[in-house]
Amino acid sequence: MLNLTPVPIKIVDCYDDGENTRHYQFAIQETEQHLSPWLKAESGQFFMLCLPGVGEAPFTFTTLPNAQGNFRALVRRMGSVTDALFQCGVGDIIGARGPFGRGWPMERLLNQRILIVGGGCGIAPLASVINQLIDSQQFIQLEVVYAARNQAALMLNPERARWQHLIPIFNVVEDMAGLSDGEFYPGTATGILPKVLHTFGEQPDTVLLAGPEAMQTAAAEYLVAYGIDPKSIFLSIERRMHCAVGLCGHCYLNEKYVCSHGPTFSWAELLQYDIAC
Amino acid sequence: MHKTYLLDSLDELQRHLAQSHEIYQVVPQSDDARADYHWQQVGSGNWPDLVEQKPLQSPKSFFFAEQEPLYVFDGETFEEVLPTPTPFVLFGVKSCDLMAIHYQDIFFEDDPYYQARRKQGLLVGVDCVTPCEQGFCQLVNAGPSVRDDTADLVLHPLDGQRWMLVVLSAAGKQALHGLALEDASPEDLHQRWENISHCEQSFPRYQYILEGIGKLNQHAISDEFWQQLGIQCLGCSGCTTLCPTCSCFATRPIESASSQQTSVTQVRFWDSCLYESFQREASFHNPASEAGQRVKRFWYHKFSDDFVPEFGRYGCVGCGRCEATCPGVIGVHSVMKRIADDA
Ligand SMILES: Cc1cc2nc3c(=O)[nH]c(=O)nc-3n(C[C@H](O)[C@H](O)[C@H](O)COP(=O)(O)OP(=O)(O)OC[C@H]3O[C@@H](n4cnc5c(N)ncnc54)[C@H](O)[C@@H]3O)c2cc1C
Ligand code: SF4
Ligand code: SF4
Ligand code: FES
């Protein structure tokens, strides 16, 4: 049977990281009772954050839960649940349930040439997979494109600073005001793809995309035209969610539910489900 | 072969089942001949007859409650709140509604709230011997006779106020324990199949429904056509509320304060995919912002071949309630006629 009841989590730490965005660290409470399912979490999966009296909303892990029950998530302030979270302080107890959904296809990433493209808050579901690959060094080639609207909207600043020393990163910004040309490229995620693919050398074996849906679908179409197999392109799809377990119906994508069949889908699958875009 | 019995009246069976169950039955809301028929608890000696009328609402809320608590937060911990109904009998469920319960059983297989209710419910079905208004159960393999794996017991009206009782499940057999019953004769069995076959032949042909399903699955219906239909959807949720297979829900918290503490109960309640906000995200991105997209979704969910592998059937059981309730013209008959003629 499914369990739709959250477990208590404590807010351990948080800091501002981009416009209206904070990076949170949470700790699962009463770990002996609650921790085991969380230890199975995979990169690209998500959890439901529960603010008692306000509601629940889905967020991805930027760092997966560890043996002490600590995990992290990047949260953008958007409405009632996130407003309430931003009003909480370190030490407060709230709730979470999960992990849910299908994460990134890790088996297709080991010892491969991988291109990762994240737009805006879409960098969140990619953070843990990038860290995992970098830390294990089990890749032939790994390059990251990160796109943001402007300087204020740049997120995961400490993480990207660390990655910058270890792998090629293309930081692309639409509005370059205040940013230097060497470190940042003017433009958009899709706009820079020709340049990235040109420098990539051999064609990437696998591409991971996350961010606004229109950006992801435009990038996927470009990559297919470039010759990459739709089965090797993976997207992270967002839908409104209430249950996260394939029952409430809100996150439908034709006959699939994004919460349980996704949020990771290959572009080949999405073409088959006739994704509305 | 299922065990079959003959009953001279229903009272004895009702009385027997009432020893260990609450009994619910479809009864008219008032003495007015035009009154609606509803599911209601019955008992204490005065057993109502089974009515032929299809109830306004299917019995779906017995298992998938219109609103129910999921968990309570007391300030420190979250506690699951599971329903604890006493054993109950739904006495006289129509074949279409039984098929819908069967469909929901598959969908909610792992849902603890649904299953806590479902395991307490005994289903006594009833065969229909005349087609109901707007019903087309025979086109979608849901009636008019009760399908084998959808009920525990089945009643069938025979000549002379007598009833045949068919035992379909172990739970049904168990529920009859202690009741002395006469076996049905081969003639009674024959009469049952005669009645059913006569009923099946009496349905209007509704050829446009088959044509509509065909076009929907050939993806022959344009988005513009759906948009035209969608304009006539008021987004009132009448169809999704009455449809026995609709199961979408939303969740929200309800606070209750006592003198000692405030607690919060997270509840779920029926929602409708036809509401404009159903898929609207916090960013206001809405993958189903057009009424046409939402109407298309509704009918796709009922009649697409894509769902058949999971459920072994279409999502529509042919009860016709969506047609009866729609204040616009997007119930099943109206929509399928237009698809067959114009799409
Ligand atoms: C798989 C997935 C992963 C995500 N990961 C991240 C992430 O890592 N970081 C991030 O910042 N964002 C992420 N998001 C987006 C994030 O979930 C939304 O921004 C968040 O839901 C906003 O919640 P809110 O309550 O603040 O906004 P609101 O718009 O106030 O509410 C959103 C939620 O409240 C409820 N709700 C809203 N309106 C209604 C209504 N009219 N009726 C009933 N209920 C309503 C719903 O449950 C809805 O999910 C993710 C989304 C998905 C689907
Ligand atoms: S749709 Fe069929 S099974 Fe349902 S009430 Fe009408 S005739 Fe009976
Ligand atoms: S779609 Fe209409 S006819 Fe079909 S089961 Fe639902 S309410 Fe009945
Ligand atoms: S969130 Fe409920 S079905 Fe996906």
Side-chain angles (χ1 to χ4, degrees):
Chain A
M1 280 299 148
L2 293 164
N3 186 346
L4 298 180
T5 309
V7 299
I9 59 170
K10 185 190 275 182
I11 302 173
V12 178
D13 184 26
C14 80
Y15 56 86
D16 291 339
D17 190 15
E19 206 173 36
N20 281 323
T21 308
R22 279 186 194 163
H23 209 157
Y24 279 86
Q25 183 172 352
F26 301 111
I28 294 163
Q29 303 297 286
E30 301 153 28
T31 45
E32 47 316 318
Q33 206 182 326
H34 299 307
L35 186 60
S36 61
W38 294 85
L39 292 177
K40 299 193 195 93
E42 293 169 13
S43 292
Q45 282 193 306
F46 69 97
F47 63 97
M48 294 297 278
L49 188 71
C50 167
L51 273 290
V54 184
E56 297 187 348
F59 297 92
T60 32
F61 302 97
T62 48
T63 308
L64 300 175
N66 66 13
Q68 286 70 49
N70 288 301
F71 65 93
R72 301 205 305 155
L74 185 73
V75 179
R76 179 138 185 240
R77 188 172 189 161
M78 292 296 287
S80 51
V81 172
T82 46
D83 279 350
L85 174 69
F86 274 46
Q87 276 159 29
C88 289
V90 166
D92 284 355
I93 300 284
I94 53 176
R97 50 192 186 88
F100 296 120
R102 181 168 64 158
W104 299 110
M106 293 310 287
E107 71 292 348
R108 297 185 58 125
L109 301 183
L110 294 184
N111 303 315
Q112 300 281 304
R113 292 175 213 287
I114 306 153
L115 173 62
I116 291 182
V117 182
C121 219
I123 195 69
L126 295 164
S128 77
V129 69
I130 296 172
N131 277 328
Q132 231 170 310
L133 288 168
I134 288 180
D135 293 344
S136 68
Q137 286 295 312
Q138 284 179 301
F139 59 85
I140 298 173
Q141 194 175 346
L142 173 62
E143 299 197 7
V144 172
V145 175
Y146 172 61
R149 271 176 293 112
N150 52 36
Q151 185 179 23
L154 290 165
M155 291 170 195
L156 285 188
N157 291 298
E159 284 74 8
R160 285 184 300 105
R162 179 174 94 94
W163 300 337
Q164 197 89 53
H165 299 296
L166 305 167
I167 52 166
I169 293 201
F170 298 82
N171 290 302
V172 216
V173 180
E174 273 174 66
D175 171 2
M176 286 285 284
L179 297 169
S180 65
D181 253 354
E183 213 182 326
F184 292 90
Y185 297 87
T188 61
T190 39
I192 200 160
L193 278 182
K195 182 187 178 75
V196 174
L197 289 164
H198 183 73
T199 61
F200 205 89
E202 272 187 66
Q203 207 168 281
D205 299 308
T206 309
V207 183
L208 307 184
L209 305 173
E213 200 164 305
M215 176 223 106
Q216 293 191 67
T217 53
E221 275 162 9
Y222 180 83
L223 292 163
V224 172
Y226 185 78
I228 298 174
D229 185 347
K231 290 200 201 74
S232 303
I233 303 168
F234 294 86
L235 295 82
S236 185
I237 298 298
E238 257 190 45
R239 282 291 179 275
R240 178 173 179 152
M241 294 182 178
H242 283 255
C243 73
V245 293
L247 290 174
C248 74
H250 281 265
C251 68
Y252 69 77
L253 188 65
N254 283 354
E255 78 271 26
K256 301 292 175 191
Y257 292 111
V258 171
C259 65
S260 48
H261 299 113
T264 307
F265 293 99
S266 74
W267 183 236
E269 288 174 301
L270 291 173
L271 290 173
Q272 191 190 329
Y273 311 145
D274 194 16
I275 181 173
C277 50
Chain B
M1 264 301 266
H2 298 300
K3 191 79 192 138
T4 50
Y5 298 106
L6 191 65
L7 306 175
D8 286 328
S9 76
L10 293 176
D11 309 24
E12 202 185 346
L13 178 60
Q14 288 160 313
R15 215 173 322 119
H16 176 79
L17 294 173
Q19 288 170 11
S20 45
H21 298 84
E22 288 174 354
I23 313 273
Y24 293 84
Q25 222 173 294
V26 175
V27 293
Q29 273 319 80
S30 70
D31 292 337
D32 185 333
R34 293 159 306 168
D36 285 330
Y37 287 78
H38 286 272
W39 282 96
Q40 197 173 295
Q41 191 172 356
V42 296
S44 52
N46 188 15
W47 300 106
D49 287 334
L50 279 186
V51 294
E52 236 186 86
Q53 281 78 357
K54 176 175 62 190
L56 184 66
Q57 300 211 26
S58 81
K60 89 172 159 184
S61 63
F62 282 96
F63 305 117
F64 172 43
E66 201 163 341
Q67 171 161 318
E68 66 181 331
L70 298 174
Y71 59 81
V72 174
F73 179 71
D74 63 7
E76 268 168 39
T77 55
F78 297 86
E79 286 292 336
E80 186 179 49
V81 187
L82 287 176
T84 54
T86 46
F88 62 98
V89 176
L90 298 184
F91 197 81
V93 190
K94 308 284 190 196
S95 312
C96 53
D97 286 343
L98 287 167
M99 187 55 90
I101 294 171
H102 180 67
Y103 183 92
Q104 302 274 38
D105 285 352
I106 297 170
F107 186 72
F108 285 117
E109 186 182 6
D110 295 321
D111 183 283
Y113 308 91
Y114 180 95
Q115 293 301 339
R117 291 195 162 83
R118 184 65 183 85
K119 74 178 198 316
Q120 297 293 80
L122 188 83
L123 300 177
V124 180
V126 61
D127 291 329
C128 287
V129 292
T130 41
C132 70
E133 209 178 323
Q134 289 162 340
F136 53 96
C137 52
Q138 92 294 6
L139 280 189
V140 288
N141 188 23
S145 62
V146 173
R147 300 316 197 231
D148 273 3
D149 46 2
T150 65
D152 298 302
L153 297 168
V154 185
L155 292 163
H156 182 89
L158 297 170
D159 295 344
Q161 310 281 306
R162 299 169 317 143
W163 292 86
M164 185 156 110
L165 177 67
V166 187
V167 184
L168 290 184
S169 75
K173 182 178 174 195
Q174 170 72 28
L176 298 180
H177 188 73
L179 194 61
L181 291 168
E182 181 188 340
D183 284 347
S185 69
E187 291 76 51
D188 298 327
L189 284 174
H190 183 71
Q191 198 192 334
R192 182 184 182 212
W193 293 123
E194 286 277 288
N195 289 346
I196 288 169
S197 137
H198 179 258
C199 178
E200 282 169 352
Q201 283 158 24
S202 322
F203 275 90
R205 289 205 42 213
Y206 297 139
Q207 187 59 31
Y208 53 84
I209 295 183
L210 294 177
E211 273 175 47
I213 298 174
K215 281 192 181 172
L216 190 138
N217 280 301
Q218 287 150 19
H219 300 281
I221 309 166
S222 68
D223 289 345
E224 293 72 43
F225 186 86
W226 287 116
Q227 192 53 28
Q228 277 304 313
L229 281 177
I231 291 168
Q232 282 153 335
C233 173
L234 309 181
C236 70
S237 83
C239 54
T240 48
T241 301
L242 292 190
C243 178
T245 60
C246 272
S247 57
C248 288
F249 62 83
T251 52
R252 72 187 161 109
I254 293 179
E255 272 189 49
S256 56
S258 71
S259 51
Q260 288 87 31
Q261 65 175 94
T262 311
S263 72
V264 175
T265 305
Q266 183 79 0
V267 299
R268 72 173 174 192
F269 56 95
W270 291 358
D271 202 353
S272 174
C273 63
L274 292 165
Y275 288 149
E276 193 275 332
S277 65
F278 189 74
Q279 283 215 311
R280 195 176 63 213
E281 294 157 28
S283 60
F284 281 85
H285 170 237
N286 188 347
S289 55
E290 308 269 340
Q293 290 174 297
R294 300 192 293 274
V295 171
K296 175 182 177 183
R297 163 65 187 179
F298 179 88
W299 290 112
Y300 175 86
H301 203 178
K302 298 304 166 196
F303 287 121
S304 166
D305 291 340
D306 293 341
F307 293 97
V308 174
E310 187 179 352
F311 297 98
R313 57 161 301 106
Y314 285 142
C316 171
V317 296
C319 71
R321 288 187 179 92
C322 51
E323 183 73 27
T325 194
C326 185
V329 283
I330 62 150
V332 65
H333 291 285
S334 311
V335 163
M336 290 295 157
K337 253 184 226 148
R338 277 181 62 182
I339 292 176
D341 293 345
D342 304 330

